Amino acid sequence: MEQYQNPLFTIDNVLFTVAQAELKVLLVKRAIEPFIDQWSLPGGFVDPLLDASVEACARRKLQEKTGVAPSYLEQLKVFSGHQRDPRGFAVTLAFYALMGEQAAQSHIDTVHDAQWLPVHQLQDYPLAFDHQTIIAEAVARLKQKALYSLVPVYCLPAQFTVTELMTVIEAIIERPIQRKSLMRRIEASDMFIAVDEKVSTGKRPAQLYQLKPDADIYLFERNLAE
Amino acid sequence: MEQYQNPLFTIDNVLFTVAQAELKVLLVKRAIEPFIDQWSLPGGFVDPLLDASVEACARRKLQEKTGVAPSYLEQLKVFSGHQRDPRGFAVTLAFYALMGEQAAQSHIDTVHDAQWLPVHQLQDYPLAFDHQTIIAEAVARLKQKALYSLVPVYCLPAQFTVTELMTVIEAIIERPIQRKSLMRRIEASDMFIAVDEKVSTGKRPAQLYQLKPDADIYLFERNLAE
DNA sequence: CTTTTTAAGTGTCCTAATGACATTTATTTT
DNA sequence: AAAATAAATGTCATTAGGACACTTAAAAAG
């Protein structure tokens, strides 16, 4: 039963953030063949000596590229086939992850082989393997999640305003939402506490919120309307 | 970069059906070590010569055990770690699948190493590997899907009545639902056509429905209430 | 042949989360 | 002090589902 050659098994990460009201994904320039010098998703081979699980491997790969752990990480799905890698039948487990932009900025600025690219400009770049497809599926999944949960908050720093969260959600789902609806959801989710501080970027100062230490991700029973 | 030993990569299937108003899962008796003679999920190694993708592999494994293709098949998630297989670091991609019970019954009756077991009696059986965990996650995922889609219909034969679909859904989500709500969803989903025929199992004959040939799975914007 | 029984299916009102949007509040700028 | 504006709230409309009474179509009983 074990006479088969084990297929090539890898991990890929679709790490998102939102900056300048745009959804962006972290891409790295490949240093080796195949697809050398093309943009690709950060990932690689599992090292059973270093990684206790596929999740641990994904985190390690992201840490290497950004210098920090992502705020959110979840399996997307497995992509497989004979066509996706010129070396033969290949299997990759794709994760999608979220983090605040500035958390990684200092680290990313020091390297030239990693870069945030807006997801809506990706069609202009030839990406390695089937990474275009993987990103498209990750975007779709994130969009869905944004309709029935507040996971987009993981694209923000630890403390944030309602307006910032609104901007992130709108960037992800690509349409405006009602501030009132968002505030009701923040309240109902019971995931956040109002920080004893406000920020005044413009006129009236905005309340800062942060995740409760033990907060579970609350799932709403309805989607935001189409 | 490829100096690592490739981890053991396998496929596992959680194949569900509903019979006697109970959610059941197909288990097979292991013929080889480890966990020989214990109940386990049908699965195995990918054969790149036979399988065009991991999905194709999952379908092949299920076909071998049931004689037919499942009506529904979807990736659940990858399970990995050093503890789950005594042979070392192991990675398995678990699928969950749905089918009508009688479609496989004749085939399963001829073998003694495959059997439908009610998910609520599984704690009495020592399952191989971490299959108990995998099944629990598959059940949770199916439950969720049953709240915002009509995927449970894939547990039924091609033609079915509203009452049958109601029974399947109630078995999955473990609480009664309103027939009226289900009929509204059947109508709104636009996934089915009323067959020009009725069945009279009891008193007033019931309308038969079947999936439209090209039907997409409709996702409702609200969950059935908790 | 009429009445009873019962599962199938419909009508109708209630409920709750969200959308829409007007209104109020707090702060900066003029 | 007044104007401007982003933040936050009040309130009514909308909509899908829940509850449940009611009707319908057939079989069974009398």
Side-chain angles (χ1 to χ4, degrees):
Chain A
M1 208 153 189
E2 300 196 37
Q3 73 270 31
Y4 313 123
Q5 67 168 61
N6 232 349
L8 220 51
F9 179 74
T10 55
I11 299 287
D12 281 306
N13 289 295
V14 186
L15 177 60
F16 292 111
T17 195
V18 171
Q20 294 89 51
E22 268 191 319
L23 182 63
K24 304 192 174 182
V25 60
L26 186 74
L27 294 176
V28 299
K29 207 152 233 172
R30 276 184 68 80
I32 57 168
E33 291 289 356
F35 297 104
I36 190 167
D37 281 336
Q38 290 201 13
W39 291 108
S40 69
L41 294 171
F45 292 90
V46 179
D47 182 346
L49 299 176
L50 285 176
D51 305 318
S53 65
V54 288
E55 281 77 11
C57 174
R59 280 182 207 286
R60 179 172 60 83
K61 296 289 179 184
L62 286 174
Q63 176 102 28
E64 287 171 4
K65 293 298 173 188
T66 65
V68 294
S71 306
Y72 183 80
L73 179 77
E74 187 185 335
Q75 287 188 24
L76 175 60
K77 71 172 232 191
V78 166
F79 295 80
S80 65
H82 288 91
Q83 312 311 322
R84 51 180 307 279
D85 189 320
R87 292 167 291 186
F89 189 85
V91 174
T92 197
L93 168 58
F95 286 82
Y96 66 106
L98 306 177
M99 68 181 299
E101 187 219 11
Q102 75 303 333
Q105 205 49 55
S106 59
H107 190 276
I108 290 176
D109 283 345
T110 64
V111 299
H112 61 285
D113 66 338
Q115 192 178 322
W116 292 112
L117 281 177
V119 293
H120 291 111
Q121 292 170 29
L122 290 183
Q123 64 277 11
D124 305 337
Y125 294 79
L127 302 192
F129 305 103
D130 52 356
H131 289 186
Q132 201 80 249
T133 306
I134 295 175
I135 293 170
E137 290 210 29
V139 169
R141 181 93 138 249
L142 178 59
K143 243 179 196 169
Q144 261 307 111
K145 283 238 165 180
L147 296 178
Y148 63 81
S149 80
L150 294 176
V151 282
V153 78
Y154 295 104
C155 291
L156 291 170
Q159 302 197 342
F160 60 90
T161 67
V162 173
T163 300
E164 288 169 338
L165 180 51
M166 202 164 112
T167 302
V168 167
I169 294 173
E170 292 179 340
I172 292 171
I173 71 177
E174 296 179 283
R175 61 177 184 73
I177 63 169
Q178 296 277 329
R179 167 187 295 266
K180 179 76 195 218
S181 299
L182 177 54
M183 298 208 68
R184 282 189 286 227
R185 285 188 159 207
I186 289 173
E187 167 101 32
S189 73
D190 199 34
M191 291 171 65
F192 309 101
I193 44 175
V195 177
D196 188 20
E197 192 186 344
K198 303 185 184 224
V199 276
S200 35
T201 43
K203 305 292 174 169
R204 178 175 174 176
Q207 179 64 57
L208 279 178
Y209 291 86
Q210 64 183 28
L211 262 179
K212 286 187 179 176
D214 54 344
D216 287 329
I217 294 172
Y218 185 86
L219 304 182
F220 300 95
E221 294 202 343
R222 304 191 189 178
N223 283 0
L224 296 175
E226 301 286 306
Chain B
M1 209 149 188
E2 301 194 38
Q3 73 269 33
Y4 315 123
Q5 67 171 60
N6 232 351
L8 220 50
F9 179 74
T10 56
I11 299 288
D12 282 307
N13 289 295
V14 186
L15 176 60
F16 292 110
T17 196
V18 171
Q20 294 90 49
E22 269 191 318
L23 182 62
K24 305 191 175 183
V25 60
L26 187 74
L27 294 176
V28 300
K29 206 151 233 171
R30 276 184 67 82
I32 57 168
E33 292 288 357
F35 297 105
I36 192 167
D37 282 336
Q38 291 200 13
W39 291 108
S40 69
L41 295 171
F45 293 91
V46 178
D47 182 346
L49 298 176
L50 285 176
D51 305 318
S53 64
V54 287
E55 281 77 12
C57 173
R59 280 182 208 286
R60 178 172 60 83
K61 296 290 178 185
L62 286 174
Q63 176 102 30
E64 287 170 6
K65 293 298 173 189
T66 65
V68 294
S71 307
Y72 184 80
L73 179 76
E74 188 185 335
Q75 288 188 24
L76 175 60
K77 70 172 233 190
V78 167
F79 295 80
S80 65
H82 288 92
Q83 313 310 322
R84 51 179 306 280
D85 189 320
R87 291 168 291 186
F89 188 84
V91 174
T92 196
L93 168 58
F95 285 82
Y96 67 106
L98 305 176
M99 68 181 301
E101 186 220 11
Q102 75 302 336
Q105 205 50 56
S106 59
H107 191 276
I108 289 176
D109 283 345
T110 64
V111 299
H112 60 286
D113 67 338
Q115 190 179 324
W116 292 112
L117 281 177
V119 293
H120 292 110
Q121 291 169 29
L122 289 184
Q123 64 278 9
D124 304 337
Y125 294 79
L127 302 192
F129 305 102
D130 52 356
H131 289 185
Q132 200 81 247
T133 305
I134 295 175
I135 293 170
E137 289 210 30
V139 169
R141 181 92 139 248
L142 178 59
K143 242 179 196 168
Q144 260 307 112
K145 282 239 167 182
L147 296 179
Y148 64 79
S149 80
L150 294 176
V151 281
V153 78
Y154 294 104
C155 291
L156 291 171
Q159 300 196 343
F160 61 90
T161 67
V162 173
T163 300
E164 288 169 337
L165 181 51
M166 204 163 109
T167 301
V168 167
I169 294 173
E170 291 179 338
I172 292 171
I173 71 176
E174 297 179 281
R175 60 176 186 73
I177 62 169
Q178 296 276 329
R179 167 187 296 266
K180 180 77 195 216
S181 298
L182 176 54
M183 298 206 68
R184 279 190 287 227
R185 283 188 158 206
I186 290 174
E187 167 100 31
S189 74
D190 199 34
M191 292 171 65
F192 308 101
I193 43 175
V195 178
D196 188 19
E197 191 186 345
K198 303 186 184 226
V199 277
S200 36
T201 44
K203 305 291 176 172
R204 177 176 174 177
Q207 179 63 58
L208 280 176
Y209 291 86
Q210 64 182 25
L211 261 178
K212 286 187 179 174
D214 54 342
D216 287 328
I217 293 171
Y218 185 86
L219 304 182
F220 300 96
E221 294 202 342
R222 303 189 188 179
N223 281 2
L224 296 176
E226 301 288 305

